[in-house]
Amino acid sequence: MLTKALLRLGTSAARHPWRVIAAWLIATTLAVFAAIAFGGRTADSMTAPGLDSQRAAELIERAGTGQEGMTAQVVVTPLADGASFFDDDGARTALTRLRTEVKRLPHVLGTSDPAGAIDTGGDTAVRGGLISADGRIAVVRVQYPDQSRLSAKDLDALVDLGDRLRAELPLRIEMGGNLFYAFSDPNGGASELIGILAAAAILFLAFGSLVAAALPIGMAVFGLTVGVATMTVLAGVTDVPTFAPVLGSMVGLGVGIDYALFVLARHREYLARGLHPHEAAGRAVATAGRPVVFAGGTVVVSILGMAVANVPFMTVGGVAVSIVVLTMVVASVTLLPAFLGAAGPRLARAGRIGRALQTRKPGRLARRQDDPAAGAARAAGWRRWIGHVSRHPVPYAVGAAGLLLTATLPVLGLRVGLPDDSSLPHSRTERRAYDLVAEGFGPGTNGPLVIAADPTGDPGVLDRLVGAVAADPGIASVAPTHIDRATGIATLVVFPTTSPQDKATADTIARLRTDVLPTAIAHGPARAHVGGAAASLSDVGRRTSQRLPVFVAAVLAMSFLLLMLVFRSILVPLKAVLLNLLSIGAAYGIMVAVFQWGWGGALIGLEATVPIVSFIPMFLFAILFGLSMDYEVFLLSRVREEYLRTGDNGTAIVEGVSGTARIITSAALIMVAVLLSFAVAEDPSTKMFGLGLATAIFIDATVVRMVLVPATMTLLGRANWWLPKWLDRMLPRGPVGTDDNDAESTGEAPRPRLVDR
């Protein structure tokens, strides 16, 4: 059985701590060396099979125009006040040198030449979006091959060249383009450090001991190092999206410290009963480790379920994050008990500083963390609150549910997309390049669309296509058509009137596909598809939105089934599923209010409103539903134990919820502190992950667990634990289902079975 296996594993690790710690040190070292030797850099590839933008990319690749590859743009303006590339020979010479040096970079297929167009006296520079009408801003477009042939070194080479030329040329030089989007890593290092320090402070205040606070942090750091190193090795084999390491660090730190906190708290309980540290560690892993394994497995299965979206980068990102979570689960049941065994009896008492911090009033003697009177006083406070809620279940249930439903309302206005560079801080060169291009050519120039057409059998279709596209109100201009002589495939680069993240741009793309292009082609044999970065991102967003209901239904069904197996009940898992939906919906609503409406955005450094990143709702749902199982299983396990012991529903609710309230609130506070540290990162996607996860965890641990759960369970009464006898006989017992003999395997007194189903 799982409980007996965990008991043996935890006891063995505690008895031989230095062997286990040495094994983890070796594993960590090997993982780091493997990452250095075989690892790769993260890269984003916003493509998916079957999308119209993917069909456009395939046509462009057949034509061999090079436009299927990555692009970058170097945006320049003279430093001298009033200078123009039209009339300043020095600025034009500097522009020519810049283009020449960019063209020499490795893997660059070609560059546009705004200065050359001016020298020949043509107006193609202005029409092609290379020189602004006033001559103040020039754009050098840089064409690279397909992403599979590139790496972060190509981005580094371009950035280094820009840094050197800024000191040598009389030009302001800024850079952007999808090369930056694909290979620039979000900076999460500072956020991780802030999160670890915040978690350490909360753990110290919770346990009053430096040793007790250090053990979960140490375990999480070990697990995170191994998990991220393994993710880096995976990046050497396939494209791991850039958000994966940041999200893995965010979730890994949170769940790792949470899992360690559950085990550590139970370990200290056993020490307070007088058990030997080795035996206490083994029983702690057997009891608290079981919900940890269950919750971690739920997180992993939920995240891997995102494969239903059929978006490769999301699937790979889910695998990468799951690796970190699995590593944390393994560390919780092996490395942590080794730490507990090495620490010995010191964990049973608070340190001198901890005792001083726990003094309630000046002049009153400090109480030890394990002082029974102090523990009883804290439990009594929670007991009074839960008892108060249980005596007034209707107003609290209605009020809390109404609050969460109100917070969920903004979800009705949720708009998915991908924030463009205008959402980045002004300290980033991509943001400054975006602003210059928008100023000189209009916002749509930052997100050109590429229409790929195969005119086979209809030679006049290209003229009709160009005319129809140029006449669309959402299109600002159309660059000259390029036709590949060998294949006859034509590519049209068109510039929308609106920015890449604007909803009007998505509407323009949809209108081109459903109205403009079909009308121009009529019923002939020709075909045309809309591609480009903006179109690809729009397509991915639409596909994830379409698949989200299927994914949500699958996760809900899985969670209901697992909880039914664990708690042998129909209404308990049904209630859990509905309450989790409420907390996640409220988190979505708050994200819409902050990021789309701008409410409080300045508090997290958000400089402009942005749409919700297309893949984040699905990721958040997968992660949050798994994480909520931590608190659900931990709390309901205690409630069920009390009900099995007393047979009284009211007593079980008060004792079970109040007995777990301190651990749940401490764990949630740690998780929220870690996640909020990522909400102040530069990248808007990282902000969304951090704020969304932190908000949902906070709501789940406060409004849901401390108000809605006791109120609804009180209203349901003994029906909480109702299960038809025929279904009880069908449900399995053992590693997943409940087994009343587990208590015996941990040395606890056997618990009676329910007599009334």
Side-chain angles (χ1 to χ4, degrees):
M1 293 187 300
L2 178 60
T3 304
K4 289 183 178 179
L6 290 175
L7 176 63
R8 290 193 297 269
L9 184 62
T11 303
S12 176
R15 289 186 183 278
H16 310 284
W18 300 114
R19 296 181 187 177
V20 177
I21 294 172
W24 269 91
L25 283 171
I26 294 172
T28 303
T29 303
L30 291 176
V32 170
F33 277 123
I36 295 172
F38 308 108
R41 292 280 294 271
T42 57
D44 287 313
S45 179
M46 293 289 185
T47 59
L51 299 178
D52 189 68
S53 54
Q54 181 66 23
R55 296 189 182 99
E58 292 167 357
L59 275 181
I60 295 171
E61 187 174 3
R62 275 183 51 200
T65 62
Q67 290 178 333
E68 74 278 6
M70 305 295 294
T71 60
Q73 56 185 21
V74 182
V75 188
V76 295
T77 184
L79 291 175
D81 291 339
S84 165
F85 288 110
F86 290 140
D87 53 28
D88 189 324
D89 292 338
R92 196 154 59 247
T93 301
L95 178 59
T96 300
R97 180 188 165 190
L98 179 145
R99 172 184 173 268
T100 301
E101 298 221 22
V102 169
K103 195 172 183 179
R104 292 174 180 167
L105 290 175
H107 296 135
V108 171
L109 299 179
T111 61
S112 60
D113 185 10
I118 296 172
D119 290 338
T120 59
D123 61 354
T124 56
V126 178
R127 291 202 317 266
L130 302 179
I131 299 285
S132 61
D134 60 2
R136 286 280 304 155
I137 300 171
V139 177
V140 177
R141 303 190 187 280
V142 188
Q143 185 65 54
Y144 286 91
D146 184 79
Q147 182 173 332
S148 61
R149 297 170 55 189
L150 302 176
S151 69
K153 294 180 180 179
D154 294 285
L155 175 61
D156 295 339
L158 181 63
V159 171
D160 291 343
L161 176 62
D163 292 339
R164 177 170 62 84
L165 293 182
R166 285 188 186 98
E168 300 176 4
L169 300 178
L171 300 174
R172 174 187 169 189
I173 303 173
E174 308 296 349
M175 299 178 177
N178 57 17
L179 185 73
F180 282 78
Y181 177 78
F183 294 109
S184 60
D185 292 330
N187 184 15
S191 298
E192 293 166 13
L193 180 60
I194 294 171
I196 290 174
L197 293 176
I202 296 169
L203 284 168
F204 180 62
L205 292 175
F207 290 113
S209 166
L210 288 174
V211 176
L215 295 188
I217 299 294
M219 188 214 79
V221 170
F222 265 97
L224 189 62
T225 303
V226 173
V228 173
T230 307
M231 189 187 301
T232 304
V233 174
L234 180 65
V237 179
T238 186
D239 287 337
V240 174
T242 55
F243 66 79
V246 176
L247 183 58
S249 300
M250 195 186 306
V251 175
L253 279 176
V255 301
I257 295 173
D258 259 18
Y259 295 164
L261 178 61
F262 293 155
V263 176
L264 179 59
R266 187 61 68 96
H267 175 72
R268 285 165 64 95
E269 288 181 15
Y270 287 128
L271 288 178
R273 297 181 191 178
L275 270 67
H276 190 278
H278 297 166
E279 186 180 0
R283 291 193 183 183
V285 172
T287 52
R290 180 171 173 170
V292 164
V293 172
F294 172 79
T298 305
V299 173
V300 170
V301 173
S302 298
I303 294 176
L304 294 180
M306 291 188 303
V308 301
N310 195 24
V311 179
F313 81 89
M314 289 179 59
T315 302
V316 176
V319 171
V321 175
S322 296
I323 289 173
V324 179
V325 176
L326 277 176
T327 305
M328 289 300 181
V329 172
V330 174
S332 299
V333 297
T334 57
L335 180 60
L336 182 60
F339 283 162
L340 299 179
R346 286 176 293 177
L347 292 175
R349 59 185 182 274
R352 183 181 303 171
I353 300 175
R355 292 195 298 271
L357 286 174
Q358 292 168 23
T359 303
R360 291 179 179 262
K361 293 183 180 179
R364 181 177 294 183
L365 292 176
R367 293 178 178 178
R368 284 174 44 173
Q369 178 73 15
D370 57 335
D371 184 354
R378 288 189 292 269
W382 284 111
R383 192 175 292 112
R384 284 193 298 271
W385 167 252
I386 301 303
H388 173 72
V389 173
S390 298
R391 289 190 297 272
H392 307 87
V394 174
Y396 275 105
V398 173
L403 176 65
L404 296 185
L405 286 173
T406 301
T408 304
L409 286 177
V411 172
L412 299 175
L414 185 145
R415 180 173 66 86
V416 298
L418 192 78
D420 55 34
D421 289 342
S422 65
S423 62
L424 296 175
H426 286 89
S427 59
R428 297 276 293 268
T429 185
E430 302 102 294
R431 168 63 186 274
R432 297 192 296 269
Y434 179 97
D435 289 343
L436 282 176
V437 171
E439 175 189 342
F441 308 97
T445 311
N446 282 292
L449 306 176
V450 182
I451 297 177
D454 184 355
T456 303
D458 190 355
V461 72
L462 292 180
D463 292 335
R464 299 198 303 273
L465 278 175
V466 172
V469 170
D472 187 86
I475 300 300
S477 62
V478 180
T481 305
H482 181 279
I483 302 176
D484 179 63
R485 293 183 178 179
T487 62
I489 294 173
T491 53
L492 290 77
V493 179
V494 301
F495 300 95
T497 58
T498 50
S499 67
Q501 73 177 25
D502 199 310
K503 182 179 183 299
T505 302
D507 294 340
T508 297
I509 294 171
R511 190 169 56 252
L512 290 175
R513 288 171 172 164
T514 60
D515 185 19
V516 176
L517 299 186
T519 301
I521 294 175
H523 299 289
R527 56 195 178 104
H529 305 283
V530 182
S536 296
L537 298 174
S538 176
D539 289 350
V540 169
R542 187 171 61 256
R543 171 167 287 185
T544 54
S545 297
Q546 291 171 346
R547 301 290 176 87
L548 184 60
V550 177
F551 171 73
V552 169
V555 172
L556 293 181
M558 178 196 69
S559 302
F560 176 84
L561 178 60
L562 289 177
L563 288 174
M564 184 171 62
L565 292 173
V566 171
F567 295 111
R568 322 300 294 184
S569 166
I570 294 290
L571 295 181
V572 162
L574 180 61
K575 171 192 62 66
V577 165
L578 294 177
L579 295 186
N580 286 342
L581 277 177
L582 272 180
S583 61
I584 294 173
Y588 282 0
I590 291 172
M591 284 176 57
V592 171
V594 172
F595 290 97
Q596 289 185 209
W597 300 352
W599 293 6
L603 297 177
I604 58 173
L606 188 67
E607 298 187 4
T609 58
V610 294
I612 304 300
V613 177
S614 57
F615 53 84
I616 282 184
M618 187 174 284
F619 256 105
L620 283 184
F621 190 89
I623 294 170
L624 289 172
F625 222 92
L627 293 180
S628 66
M629 292 298 105
D630 292 4
Y631 306 137
E632 189 74 31
V633 174
F634 191 67
L635 184 151
L636 290 180
S637 295
R638 288 294 185 94
V639 174
R640 184 174 184 275
E641 287 175 9
E642 293 296 327
Y643 185 71
L644 287 168
R645 184 177 63 85
T646 65
D648 182 81
N649 185 67
T651 301
I653 293 170
V654 173
E655 295 298 324
V657 178
S658 61
T660 57
R662 182 174 173 233
I663 296 300
I664 287 178
T665 51
S666 297
L669 189 58
I670 290 170
M671 184 81 83
V672 169
V674 170
L675 295 171
L676 283 181
S677 67
F678 286 85
V680 296
E682 288 186 349
D683 181 63
S685 300
T686 304
K687 290 181 185 291
M688 290 181 194
F689 276 126
L691 182 65
L693 289 169
T695 301
I697 293 297
F698 176 79
I699 292 172
D700 190 78
T702 54
V703 179
V704 172
R705 304 295 158 207
M706 300 302 136
V707 180
L708 276 173
V709 166
T712 54
M713 292 190 76
T714 299
L715 291 172
L716 291 172
R718 291 177 65 87
N720 281 302
W721 311 109
W722 172 76
L723 184 71
K725 291 183 179 180
W726 62 268
L727 183 57
D728 186 31
R729 289 191 296 268
M730 292 177 59
L731 295 179
R733 297 178 183 272
V736 179
T738 346
D739 191 335
D740 293 328
N741 293 324
D742 285 345
E744 298 177 8
S745 68
T746 61
E748 303 288 346
R751 300 175 307 210
R753 292 183 181 272
L754 288 175
V755 296
D756 181 11
R757 291 289 187 183

